[in-house]
Amino acid sequence: MTKKTANDNKTFKKGDYIVYPAHGVGRVTGVEKETVAGFDIEVYVVSFEQDKMTLRVPTAKAIASGMRPLANDKVLADALKTLRGKAKVKRTMWSRRAQEYEAKINSGDLISIAEVVRDLHRHEDQPEPSYSERQLYESALDRMVREVAAVEKVDRDKALEILSTSLQKKAA
């Protein structure tokens, strides 16, 4: 009798680039079997080069955890269109907005991350952002740059240039 694993039709394979909500773009370096608390489970081994980190995600829980393939061209186009839109800054307290922005960044959704970048982007003629505002902006921009670079198969600088171009075309 062969032992059936929870996920025989694997969603991701070795070499695939994926997006994990809390960490951004990573690469599946393999699928391994591990024994945890007496149970044999299959895990994706995901490497995040930029953070020098390796994550092990059970194959059966990968989708439920929010792990997803890189955005397709349509989602990327929509995200770049979002960057060109008008900033939608709510008139709520900064702490509440900061929590909402953090949740959007950690959702792993490229469009949500683009909304954060759009809303927190400052032009040269605008006042200097606060420290926490700048941190959130840089975090969102970094996540977006990594995914754009992986989707477009370009380096980080070229991806940043693509995003900067979209932000320059932003509606006033």
Side-chain angles (χ1 to χ4, degrees):
M1 188 168 125
T2 37
K3 196 172 182 181
K4 196 154 172 66
T5 59
N7 189 7
D8 283 340
N9 54 337
K10 292 179 195 60
T11 312
F12 307 103
K13 58 189 184 304
K14 184 177 180 175
D16 283 357
Y17 280 99
I18 58 91
V19 177
Y20 194 82
H23 303 295
V25 177
R27 187 177 208 161
V28 177
T29 56
V31 180
E32 299 176 355
K33 289 196 184 310
E34 291 186 1
T35 305
V36 178
F39 292 98
D40 286 339
I41 59 168
E42 217 173 21
V43 295
Y44 290 116
V45 180
V46 183
S47 173
F48 296 90
E49 290 296 319
Q50 67 281 353
D51 299 327
K52 294 178 179 49
M53 177 179 77
T54 301
L55 188 66
R56 287 173 156 56
V57 182
T59 54
K61 302 270 189 218
I63 300 300
S65 71
M67 194 164 129
R68 66 170 175 81
L70 287 174
N72 58 32
D73 291 338
K74 185 191 179 322
V75 173
L76 183 60
D78 287 348
L80 293 175
K81 185 178 172 205
T82 299
L83 288 181
R84 289 190 290 272
K86 189 164 172 38
K88 294 177 177 72
V89 180
K90 294 179 186 163
R91 293 283 168 225
T92 56
M93 290 176 56
W94 167 246
S95 60
R96 170 85 29 99
R97 282 193 324 233
Q99 285 177 333
E100 288 173 10
Y101 289 147
E102 192 73 47
K104 283 182 175 186
I105 293 168
N106 288 329
S107 73
D109 176 49
L110 192 60
I111 306 282
S112 294
I113 294 169
E115 289 171 1
V116 176
V117 171
R118 174 199 66 202
D119 293 350
L120 294 178
H121 179 74
R122 299 284 183 107
H123 290 287
E124 291 79 37
D125 60 344
Q126 292 177 304
E128 188 75 17
S130 69
Y131 176 77
S132 57
E133 217 174 333
R134 196 169 54 249
Q135 291 296 102
L136 281 172
Y137 173 74
E138 287 172 3
S139 173
L141 187 64
D142 184 56
R143 288 276 174 90
M144 202 168 174
V145 164
R146 288 185 205 169
E147 188 157 359
V148 169
V151 170
E152 295 288 335
K153 295 176 178 55
V154 294
D155 66 2
R156 196 172 168 7
D157 293 337
K158 180 66 179 155
L160 188 56
E161 192 179 304
I162 291 168
L163 297 183
S164 294
T165 302
S166 287
L167 284 167
Q168 298 310 316
K169 293 178 184 170
K170 193 160 120 167

